Amino acid sequence: MGNKATISQAKQASNDYEVYFTLTSSLDNESNSKKEGGISDVIIDGMQKNPYAAWEWGMVNRVAQDYDMAAEIHQLSMVAFDDIGDKPRSVICDLDRGIDLASGLGGSSSKVDSKQLSIVRKILEDAIESDVNVEGRDVELLQRLVAKEGEARTALAGILWNSNSKAAAEAQYGTACTRLDELNADYQRREQLNEGRVSPPKPSGVGLGYSIDDINGANEASCSRFKNDKFVEEKLVWSEGLQTKVKKFLTLSQ
């Protein structure tokens, strides 16, 4: 159901993921109670065995509008991917962590706690910076990573504009547009070179818009997409508050 799920349905799905990670953990569940305000060692162990499902759990919590929990889960997913040497997916998780926190920042109000803003800004900026030099042989994965970076830069531009850091907001968005334009141009060149070739079959489930390997890629990467309400509502799991902040920036309104 993705972001079309109700908050209640998303919470139930989140509970199901928690049960799954508990059952797949190697640790003794009886001796590891849930940490106060956090996730138990048992569940973390289960997440480390399947960081793909861990990322999905984070997205489910974003749909449930539990943005702090989503951010914590995506941070643990980042570590789990990094532990197996998967840098691109690790950075995607880190970028999503920043987007989670941006989604929960101050609702739609322009009054945002300066300390919270500083924390979210640093997390997003650090995640964006860590993306720039990521390398690998999986071209489609790297394309999805750059597309996610563009999403994170646009989200950051929205909260910066909302906090009256207008030059910084314009700089982030300008870089996002440049990077996405380059990504799209490279995608078009590759498509022309591959024209007439038979593409290998896609894994089962790809096309559902659900897994970390099915997030927006180069074929959907452009700055203009963020001005399309339908695209933002159907493809990006942003809070209403973040959508409002980004729209204010894109329309250059106060």
Side-chain angles (χ1 to χ4, degrees):
M1 298 183 72
N3 60 357
K4 294 182 180 179
T6 64
I7 293 177
S8 176
Q9 289 168 331
K11 287 181 177 179
Q12 178 59 59
S14 178
N15 290 336
D16 291 340
Y17 273 97
E18 189 168 337
V19 170
Y20 163 74
F21 291 123
T22 301
L23 293 174
T24 56
S25 174
S26 302
L27 301 181
D28 181 6
N29 191 39
E30 296 297 324
S31 60
N32 286 274
S33 59
K34 192 167 186 176
K35 293 178 179 178
E36 184 67 28
I39 300 172
S40 73
D41 290 336
V42 169
I43 294 174
I44 292 172
D45 183 67
M47 293 170 69
Q48 289 173 334
K49 289 178 170 56
N50 190 345
Y52 293 86
W55 177 87
E56 293 167 11
W57 187 28
M59 297 306 293
V60 165
N61 276 273
R62 196 190 292 179
V63 175
Q65 298 182 14
D66 191 345
Y67 302 114
D68 288 341
M69 184 65 166
E72 183 177 1
I73 292 169
H74 278 140
Q75 184 178 24
L76 291 168
S77 306
M78 173 192 72
V79 173
F81 274 121
D82 196 48
D83 285 346
I84 60 174
D86 192 335
K87 188 63 176 177
R89 290 183 179 87
S90 177
V91 176
I92 288 173
C93 292
D94 199 16
L95 291 164
D96 271 317
R97 175 195 176 205
I99 294 170
D100 294 330
L101 294 173
S103 288
L105 192 63
S108 59
S109 171
S110 60
K111 296 181 180 179
V112 176
D113 181 81
S114 58
K115 185 176 180 180
Q116 285 184 316
L117 174 64
S118 178
I119 292 171
V120 174
R121 178 175 180 173
K122 186 175 189 320
I123 288 171
L124 276 169
E125 288 176 340
D126 287 350
I128 288 167
E129 184 178 354
S130 68
D131 168 36
V132 176
N133 296 318
V134 174
E135 298 178 349
R137 296 182 179 180
D138 189 335
V139 174
E140 289 190 9
L141 174 58
L142 295 177
Q143 289 173 339
R144 292 194 298 273
L145 172 57
V146 175
K148 177 62 71 173
E149 177 205 319
E151 179 187 345
R153 285 186 185 274
T154 303
L156 178 56
I159 64 174
L160 288 172
W161 182 269
N162 191 71
S163 62
N164 210 31
S165 299
K166 299 190 174 180
E170 291 169 349
Q172 285 293 341
Y173 188 65
T175 302
C177 290
T178 298
R179 295 269 288 166
L180 292 175
D181 287 346
E182 291 172 351
L183 173 63
N184 192 261
D186 180 68
Y187 171 76
Q188 297 299 332
R189 284 194 298 269
R190 291 178 184 276
E191 286 294 292
Q192 290 174 1
L193 290 173
N194 291 328
E195 191 172 350
R197 297 182 183 179
V198 178
S199 300
K202 296 286 187 181
S204 176
V206 171
L208 296 177
Y210 181 70
S211 76
I212 195 170
D213 287 339
D214 197 25
I215 59 177
N216 298 320
N219 61 325
E220 295 183 291
S222 71
C223 280
S224 61
R225 287 281 185 153
F226 296 108
K227 299 177 182 179
N228 185 317
D229 290 343
K230 184 177 180 181
F231 172 77
V232 173
E233 290 170 5
E234 295 182 359
K235 294 288 187 178
L236 307 178
V237 190
W238 285 3
S239 68
E240 184 178 343
L242 181 57
Q243 290 182 48
T244 299
K245 291 180 179 69
V246 171
K247 184 175 286 189
K248 283 182 178 180
F249 166 67
L250 294 176
T251 56
L252 301 181
S253 60
Q254 300 300 322

